């Protein structure tokens, strides 16, 4: 290695002149039956993504029927009345196309990505999936059984368990958000095929759907094709559903979920957050980036790089139409659980006490500004960005204005956002881990009343 | 209409110090990806230092002569970029995607740590990253249901003296033993320009890139060669059915059924890969259709190849039981499906489906500058020929039913199987019902 010292090191270079970037242009149209179209032609590669969005998310689940929206969405891919039965996903795969159907909290979406030369055939199949689902009893029952298997697996999977129990403890039991979006054991067992059919008929209505297309298409040709496949489908307007988003309590509580052999504690600390459509969205996004969103955030650098407590720690807003959770998530060695929790609490308090530095502000703003084009390299990423516009009712120039609005955020905006929207007094903390190993340490931090549970979430 | 294929443009050159460089221009968006593969992985670790290649990867983010600890992350994110690194059995990679006006910064950062890492190393940084990696191990292996599969499977299928046998993430004791001296030695031996491939994909000018690469990397001296890996050749089959049963903190039995398979990049590899797609890629695959949909004994089913280029690849079937299906039933029924495949072969239609999926996956992946750069680095590192990225789809299109059936007959028989079977811990009386049939002989020792 002696020769290395003799080699000349060069100073850090300056950035060149940035090249302009524009979020892809898109056109809107409406089919005669009321189905809305958004088409973004992308002349890059012979590939197209189509996403059909329906007002059929989990918040539309009827009382006691949590999981119906997801079951309905998944059942769409389990067969059509014509063409023949259960072979529908096989048909997509023979075209090389991928198809996915799922319901999130606000909407359900069926998404197809296909090479351009298979677009017409894939699109016909998509028409069959949406318009002629078979809802075969056997397949619906199988999907229920698969969901129950997933829930069973989760009892042994600490990350998923911590996420699920955190939201369960966070929200008032009357809120749909208190239960997992796919439903829990009790609610899933109760779902029946007839309910799936009714949910589909009420909520998959063309007049309330938007079809989003990104990729190698010509808008007017695509509109003709959409008209031919979906134009004569009739249905009534479906109102968006909503649910209570009230927290279970206004004060702190510590929830310890005992997993006796766990070598690590899964830690969640947070409270009810904000609705996605919020006037302070940008300051709040910058706030979260600096606090826990970025690798170089305060919480990650503290827990990982200063203390070596964890492989990683982050915080995020789970954005929904209504108030989803804001949460700090990490996994730490059992013996430092209380120390890690203390550091997180300190970082939250410190964030509300003084403005972030100019360096911190520009790290977050220049990251979000600069990374913007990188977020939209693929047709599916562009379709997903356009879906966001639809679901949260954002203006068409949202992405054109995005970077300027990021850059306009100041450190006092961020401080104000932190003081308004971080609520240390209302934090809920969930520890999934070895209760015996963490108990003593957790008592020393006197966070709030302690409740103990087993992995089913039953008080223990 | 037919899929006419697509090519990405490729230029290559080599610096006098041995650094191999591949360039692929694409000006559709102002984005550029830089991807650096070092031809070193866990296979190169010495005894008593399992996990070192990966721990070393962490140290590469702890700064270099002109870069502070974690400043690499900060500078890239401040530039509006994304980044990471990863360690595998036989390579370690580092990659960034940034706005195209930041290309020079990335090259400077990568060159600074390739040339001048050691001045920034310290005991305290090593100790912290050791703790971080131990937590990564707890998080991804020890505290995850079935999390040990990816160290148990190589341990089962590779002989003890084979470089792929030991754990990639490493044991806690070996992580404890890693020293600053190890860092110096590993760096000098493996992190040299002649043991690396640099790929740049996206929005840049090739002449500029050549100049910049030479400017920042040209003065870094070549290495002095690395110790050869032991001979890694293995027989085409295990010659037996290896079995290991692991009691774990899991709710459902899960089977990994592995087979020795043709090495990545060889002609028969493509038949193996097509067979994995037929058997276990997506919901239209055989295993999914038969075991999840029709017979409803499995909750999940997939098959994949490891894509190892040295010696022998692995073909792996991974199936999780539905509640109330015993581990024994699971293993028998999966094996039955493989037996049917061996007996009857695959159909024209199944091969066509696999090829269609490969075509679409290729185009989908090539949308991303980072994926392009990574594949260029991969083909350049393993085969000294980045243009192979443009020949993959044709290789798949050339696979015939006869080729897949030949692979199936040669490799999927009972003399070439290794079962790694996870079963729920038998704690309470009632809970053990699912694994009762296996109660005899349960243990975590390798049986063969």
């Amino acid at each position: 290695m002696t020769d290395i010292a003799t080699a000349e090191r060069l100073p850090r270079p300056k950035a060149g002149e940035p090249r302009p970037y524009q979020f892809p242009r898109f056109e809107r149209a409406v089919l005669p039956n009321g189905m809305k179209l958004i088409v973004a032609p992308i002349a890059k590669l012979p590939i197209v993504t189509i996403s059909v969005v329906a007002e059929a998310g989990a918040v539309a689940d009827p009382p006691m029927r949590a999981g119906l929206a997801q079951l309905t969405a998944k059942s769409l891919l389990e067969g059509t009345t014509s063409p023949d039965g259960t072979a529908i996903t096989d048909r997509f795969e023979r075209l090389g196309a991928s198809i996915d159907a799922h319901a999130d909290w606000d909407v359900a979406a069926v998404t197809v990505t296909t090479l351009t030369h298979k677009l017409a055939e894939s699109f016909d199949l998509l028409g069959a999936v949406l318009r002629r689902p078979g809802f075969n009893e056997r397949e619906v029952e199988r999907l229920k059984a698969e969901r129950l298997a997933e829930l069973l697996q989760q009892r042994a999977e600490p990350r998923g368990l911590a996420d699920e129990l955190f939201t369960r403890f966070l929200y008032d039991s009357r809120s749909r958000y208190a239960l997992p979006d796919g439903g829990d054991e009790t609610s899933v067992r109760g779902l029946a095929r007839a309910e799936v059919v009714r949910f589909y008929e009420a909520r998959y209505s063309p007049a309330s759907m938007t079809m989003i297309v990104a990729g190698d298409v010509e808008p007017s040709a695509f509109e003709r094709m959409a008209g031919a496949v979906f134009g004569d489908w009739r249905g009534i307007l479906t109102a968006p559903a909503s649910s209570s988003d009230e927290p279970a309590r206004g004060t702190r509580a510590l929830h310890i979920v005992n997993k006796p052999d766990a070598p690590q504690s899964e830690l969640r600390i947070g409270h009810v957050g904000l609705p996605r459509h919020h006037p302070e969205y940008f300051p709040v996004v910058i706030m979260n980036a600096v606090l826990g969103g970025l690798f170089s955030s305060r919480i990650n650098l503290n827990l990982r790089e200063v203390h070596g407590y964890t492989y990683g720690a982050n915080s995020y807003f789970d954005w929904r139409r209504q108030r989803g959770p804001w949460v700090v998530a990490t996994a730490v060695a059992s013996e430092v659980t209380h120390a890690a929790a203390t550091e997180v609490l300190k970082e939250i308090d410190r964030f509300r006490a003084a403005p972030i530095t100019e360096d911190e502000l520009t790290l977050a703003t220049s990251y979000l500004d600069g990374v913007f084009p990188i977020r939209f390299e693929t047709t599916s990423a562009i379709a997903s960005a356009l879906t966001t516009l639809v679901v949260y009712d954002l203006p068409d120039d949202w992405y054109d204005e995005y970077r300027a609005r990021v850059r306009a955020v100041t450190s006092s905006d961020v401080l104000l956002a932190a003081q308004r929207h971080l609520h240390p007094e209302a934090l809920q903390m969930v520890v999934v881990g070895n209760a015996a190993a963490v108990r003593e340490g957790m008592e020393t931090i006197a966070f709030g009343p302690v409740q103990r549970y087993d992995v089913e979430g039953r008080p223990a | 209409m037919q899929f006419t294929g697509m090519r990405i443009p490729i230029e290559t050159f080599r610096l006098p110090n041995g650094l191999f460089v591949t360039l692929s221009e694409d000006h559709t968006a102002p984005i550029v990806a830089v991807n650096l593969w070092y031809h070193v992985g866990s296979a190169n670790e010495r005894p008593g230092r399992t996990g070192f290649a990966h721990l070393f990867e962490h140290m590469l983010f702890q700064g270099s002569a002109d870069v502070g600890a974690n400043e690499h992350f900060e500078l890239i994110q401040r530039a509006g970029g994304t980044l990471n690194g990863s360690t595998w059995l036989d390579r370690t990679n580092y990659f960034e995607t940034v706005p195209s006006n930041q290309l020079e910064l990335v090259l400077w950062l990568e060159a600074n740590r390739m040339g001048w890492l050691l001045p920034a190393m310290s005991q305290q940084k090593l100790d912290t990253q050791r703790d971080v990696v131990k937590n990564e191990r707890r998080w991804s292996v020890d505290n995850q249901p079935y999390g040990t599969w990816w160290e148990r499977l190589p341990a089962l299928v590779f002989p003890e003296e084979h470089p792929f046998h030991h754990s990639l993430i490493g044991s806690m004791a070996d992580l404890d033993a890693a020293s600053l001296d190890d860092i110096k030695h590993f760096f000098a031996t493996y992190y040299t320009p002649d043991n690396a491939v640099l790929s740049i994909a996206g929005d840049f000018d090739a002449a500029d890139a050549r100049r910049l690469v030479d400017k920042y990397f040209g003065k870094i001296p070549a290495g002095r060669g690395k110790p050869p890996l032991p001979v890694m050749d293995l027989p085409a089959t295990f010659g037996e059915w290896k079995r290991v049963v692991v009691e774990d903190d899991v709710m459902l039995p899960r089977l990994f059924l592995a087979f020795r398979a043709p090495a990545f990049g060889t002609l028969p590899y493509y038949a193996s890969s097509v067979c994995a797609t037929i058997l276990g890629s997506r919901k239209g695959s055989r295993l999914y259709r038969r075991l999840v949909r029709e017979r409803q004994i499995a909750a999940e089913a997939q098959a994949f190849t490891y894509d190892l280029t040295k010696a022998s690849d692995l073909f792996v079937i991974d199936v999780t039981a539905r509640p109330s299906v015993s581990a024994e039933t699971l293993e028998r029924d999966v094996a039955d499906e493989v037996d049917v495949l061996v007996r009857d072969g695959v159909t024209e239609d199944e091969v066509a489906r696999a090829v269609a999926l490969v075509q679409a996956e290729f185009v989908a992946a090539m949308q991303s500058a980072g994926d392009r750069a990574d594949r260029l680095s991969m083909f350049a590192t393993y085969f000294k020929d980045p243009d192979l990225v443009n020949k993959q789809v044709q290789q798949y299109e050339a696979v015939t039913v006869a080729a897949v059936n030949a692979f199936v007959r040669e490799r999927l028989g009972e003399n070439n199987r290794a079962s790694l079977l996870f079963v729920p811990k038998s704690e309470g009386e009632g809970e053990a019902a699912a694994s009762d049939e296996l109660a005899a002989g349960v243990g975590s020792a390798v049986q063969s």
Side-chain angles (χ1 to χ4, degrees):
Chain A
M1 283 177 297
T2 45
D3 13 355
I4 289 182
T6 65
E8 170 199 354
R9 277 154 42 202
L10 295 165
R12 189 204 304 173
K14 298 252 182 306
E17 199 55 42
R19 265 193 53 206
Y21 172 81
Q22 207 179 28
F23 183 79
R25 304 294 88 190
F26 54 90
E27 296 182 15
R28 283 180 181 272
V30 182
L31 296 184
N33 60 1
M35 184 187 262
K36 293 186 272 303
L37 284 186
I38 298 181
V39 185
I42 316 284
K44 181 174 170 184
L45 291 175
I47 188 166
V48 185
T49 297
I50 305 157
S51 206
V52 181
V53 178
E55 289 293 336
V59 291
D61 284 339
M64 316 297 286
R65 287 292 177 270
L68 181 59
Q70 258 197 19
L71 181 63
T72 306
K74 288 183 176 171
S75 296
L76 289 173
L77 300 188
E78 295 300 334
T80 51
T81 52
S82 72
D84 66 320
T86 56
I88 195 79
T89 51
D90 314 19
R91 287 167 165 262
F92 278 103
E93 289 170 15
R94 269 178 241 165
L95 299 172
S98 55
I99 171 120
D100 175 68
H102 75 275
D104 67 18
W105 286 105
D106 295 310
V107 296
V110 180
T111 302
V112 173
T113 296
T114 176
L115 295 181
T116 314
H117 74 289
K118 300 290 188 191
L119 174 60
E121 289 164 271
S122 300
F123 196 72
D124 278 344
L125 286 178
L126 177 63
V129 162
L130 281 162
R131 299 189 58 177
R132 295 187 292 280
F135 296 129
N136 182 306
E137 174 92 41
R138 184 175 189 274
E139 305 307 321
V140 171
E141 287 302 316
R142 175 173 62 77
L143 289 175
K144 281 170 59 183
E146 285 174 16
R147 170 63 186 159
L148 293 172
E150 185 179 278
L151 286 163
L152 183 66
Q153 289 276 62
Q154 196 161 281
R155 300 290 157 251
E157 202 281 285
R159 288 176 223 164
L161 187 61
D163 290 336
E164 184 202 314
L165 292 179
F166 175 74
T167 45
R168 185 174 340 157
F169 301 145
L170 184 60
Y171 285 98
D172 183 277
S173 60
R174 283 159 294 186
S175 165
R176 176 64 189 84
Y177 291 166
L179 288 178
D181 51 4
D184 67 3
E185 279 89 349
T186 314
S187 69
V188 169
R189 278 185 212 287
L191 300 176
R193 178 192 179 269
E195 293 171 313
V196 169
V197 173
R198 277 202 298 278
F199 190 85
Y200 165 78
E201 284 169 353
R203 301 230 145 243
Y204 287 74
S205 168
S208 315
M209 282 178 167
T210 305
M211 177 177 294
I212 292 143
V213 186
D216 181 21
V217 293
E218 195 279 304
S220 57
F222 186 86
E223 195 183 327
R224 280 194 301 277
M225 187 166 74
V229 174
F230 289 96
D232 61 346
W233 186 17
R234 297 281 174 255
I236 44 140
L237 219 56
T238 311
S242 67
S243 153
S244 155
D245 56 6
E246 289 301 314
R249 57 183 76 69
T251 53
R252 288 182 171 195
L254 168 61
H255 310 265
I256 298 179
V257 180
N258 190 20
K259 207 166 178 311
D261 298 329
Q264 220 174 21
S265 299
E266 282 287 346
L267 189 60
R268 302 289 181 274
I269 301 173
H271 53 61
V272 171
L274 297 169
R276 173 64 180 75
H277 205 134
H278 191 278
E280 283 174 279
Y281 176 77
F282 286 97
V284 163
V285 164
I286 302 294
M287 168 191 88
N288 183 66
V290 175
L291 178 57
L294 295 174
F295 181 89
S296 306
S297 69
R298 289 183 179 183
I299 288 174
N300 191 56
L301 288 187
N302 181 333
L303 264 57
R304 172 178 157 134
E305 298 296 328
V306 175
H307 288 103
Y309 289 156
T310 179
Y311 176 50
N314 73 335
S315 67
Y316 58 91
F317 282 87
D318 181 348
W319 295 110
R320 303 172 186 174
R321 281 178 179 156
Q322 293 165 271
R323 295 182 299 166
W326 173 75
V327 60
V328 180
T330 187
V332 299
S334 305
E335 65 274 16
V336 297
T337 305
H338 65 286
T342 303
E343 292 302 319
V344 171
L345 298 174
K346 264 197 235 166
E347 293 296 357
I348 294 172
D349 285 342
R350 183 159 79 96
F351 213 92
R352 300 175 75 253
I356 57 173
T357 66
E358 192 60 20
D359 243 28
E360 289 177 310
L361 175 71
T362 57
L363 173 64
T365 55
S366 60
Y367 171 70
L368 290 169
D369 177 18
V371 84
F372 185 77
I374 298 170
R375 288 166 54 194
F376 308 116
E377 282 190 283
T378 64
T379 54
S380 56
I382 294 161
S384 155
L386 292 168
T387 301
T388 299
L389 294 188
V390 172
V391 177
Y392 303 114
D393 197 22
L394 300 171
D396 276 3
D397 64 357
W398 176 261
Y399 292 109
D400 293 333
E401 300 298 320
Y402 181 94
R403 299 171 86 175
R405 294 182 70 180
V406 163
R407 287 192 300 261
V409 173
T410 67
S411 58
S412 43
D413 295 339
V414 173
L415 181 61
L416 212 56
Q419 289 167 344
R420 282 185 186 150
H421 304 302
L422 294 178
H423 305 291
E425 74 291 348
L427 289 170
Q428 302 301 303
M429 186 180 318
V430 172
V431 177
V432 175
N434 181 340
V438 306
R439 184 175 302 132
E440 203 176 319
M442 292 310 291
E443 276 163 11
T444 65
I445 70 174
F447 177 77
V450 184
Q451 310 196 27
R452 296 193 174 78
Y453 308 84
D454 63 14
V455 292
E456 312 280 338
R458 292 178 301 221
Chain B
M1 277 208 309
Q2 281 301 305
F3 178 65
T4 49
M6 53 165 288
R7 296 185 64 81
I8 64 168
I10 297 170
E11 274 184 50
T12 66
F13 63 99
R14 193 187 282 277
L15 293 184
N17 61 14
L19 181 68
F20 190 85
V21 185
T22 78
L23 306 176
S24 180
E25 286 186 60
D26 166 23
H27 300 283
T28 50
I31 293 168
V32 68
V34 173
N35 181 293
L36 193 53
W37 273 42
Y38 289 95
H39 205 170
V40 56
S42 62
N44 302 89
E45 287 158 356
R46 64 187 177 89
R49 290 294 182 278
T50 62
F52 190 78
H54 170 246
L55 176 60
F56 191 88
E57 177 220 310
H58 277 243
M59 296 306 290
L60 248 72
F61 293 93
Q62 291 304 306
S64 49
D66 301 293
V67 181
N70 295 310
E71 199 183 359
H72 188 105
F73 255 97
E74 195 195 315
L75 287 171
I76 294 294
Q77 294 200 320
R78 191 177 284 280
T82 61
L83 71 159
N84 215 332
S86 80
T87 306
W88 184 229
L89 303 178
D90 58 358
R91 60 96 185 130
T92 309
N93 64 5
Y94 300 86
F95 43 93
E96 296 87 5
T97 300
V98 293
S100 50
N101 62 318
Q102 299 282 2
L103 173 62
E104 194 168 352
L105 171 69
V106 180
L107 296 175
W108 176 80
L109 279 165
E110 289 295 0
N112 205 264
R113 59 186 179 179
M114 183 190 283
W116 301 276
L117 178 80
L118 294 182
M121 294 295 101
S122 74
Q123 188 63 45
Q124 182 250 326
K125 286 177 178 175
L126 175 60
D127 291 342
T128 302
Q129 289 311 305
R130 196 197 320 272
D131 285 344
V132 170
V133 169
K134 284 178 165 184
N135 276 310
E136 182 177 358
R137 188 196 154 86
R138 292 183 188 106
W139 183 77
S140 64
V141 178
D142 299 329
N143 202 28
Q144 267 301 296
Y146 321 103
T148 57
W149 82 266
W150 63 287
E151 58 186 9
R152 289 183 188 275
L153 193 70
L156 175 65
V157 300
F158 293 108
E160 202 161 339
E161 64 286 358
H162 193 284
F164 292 163
H165 174 89
H166 69 263
S167 167
L168 190 153
I169 190 93
S171 70
M172 292 293 192
D174 286 359
L175 289 170
D176 277 333
S179 71
L180 273 182
D181 267 354
D182 292 326
I183 300 264
K184 285 177 190 152
H185 184 77
F186 204 79
F187 178 72
T189 310
Y190 297 110
Y191 277 69
T192 62
D194 48 321
N195 196 39
V197 167
L198 174 69
S199 297
I200 305 174
D203 179 36
F204 62 94
D205 173 77
D208 280 350
R210 280 172 183 261
R211 180 180 56 79
L212 292 174
V213 169
D214 184 57
K215 174 178 171 185
Y216 289 107
F217 291 88
K219 299 227 169 63
I220 301 172
R224 293 173 181 157
K226 54 181 180 179
L229 286 168
V231 175
M232 293 165 84
D233 293 346
L234 292 167
T237 64
F238 296 122
E240 61 179 337
W241 192 333
K242 294 169 175 287
R243 282 195 167 87
V244 55
V245 178
V246 179
E247 278 201 347
D248 198 5
D249 185 11
V250 297
M251 307 305 286
L252 299 172
R254 179 171 172 184
L255 171 70
F256 293 88
L257 183 61
F259 311 80
R260 280 204 185 131
F264 178 73
T266 62
L267 208 55
Y269 162 81
Y270 296 95
S272 163
S273 178
V274 163
C275 185
T277 303
I278 289 172
L279 206 52
S281 173
R282 307 195 192 193
K283 293 182 174 173
S285 66
R286 271 195 189 205
L287 291 174
Y288 197 92
R289 197 175 63 236
R290 290 282 298 143
L291 303 179
V292 179
R293 282 207 155 116
E294 293 173 12
R295 305 192 47 210
Q296 306 201 3
I297 62 149
E300 289 164 56
Q302 56 168 338
F304 55 91
T305 53
Y306 253 60
D307 295 356
L308 303 173
T309 52
K310 293 189 184 75
S312 153
D313 191 22
L314 285 181
F315 181 103
V316 181
I317 291 171
D318 167 13
V319 184
T320 305
R322 276 268 290 268
S324 84
V325 171
S326 74
E328 193 184 57
T329 302
L330 178 73
E331 190 184 27
R332 191 189 56 230
D333 288 1
V334 170
D336 284 351
E337 290 301 326
V338 178
D339 291 340
V340 168
L341 181 64
V342 172
R343 191 188 68 209
D344 300 341
V346 299
T347 65
E348 201 71 62
D349 202 40
E350 287 178 310
V351 173
R353 168 185 167 279
V355 170
L357 287 172
V358 167
Q359 289 170 338
E361 281 162 11
F362 176 72
V363 176
M366 289 300 105
Q367 297 183 94
S368 142
D371 278 5
R372 284 189 190 209
D374 191 62
R375 292 196 189 194
L376 291 170
S377 290
M378 176 181 78
F379 286 109
T381 300
Y382 289 148
F383 307 105
K384 310 284 172 224
D385 182 7
D387 196 46
L388 285 173
V389 71
N390 284 320
K391 297 173 182 157
Q392 294 308 296
V393 171
Q394 289 101 301
Q395 294 274 32
Y396 280 95
E397 288 166 349
V399 171
T400 61
V401 168
V404 178
N405 288 342
F407 161 77
V408 162
R409 279 192 307 272
E410 283 163 26
R411 302 295 192 129
L412 300 191
E414 291 199 9
N415 67 338
N416 188 33
R417 293 182 187 174
S419 296
L420 171 63
L421 185 58
F422 284 86
V423 299
K425 249 187 234 169
S426 37
E427 277 171 59
E429 291 290 306
E431 288 175 42
S435 57
D436 267 352
E437 296 161 79
L438 275 156
V442 164
S444 54
V446 176
Q447 305 159 3
S448 50

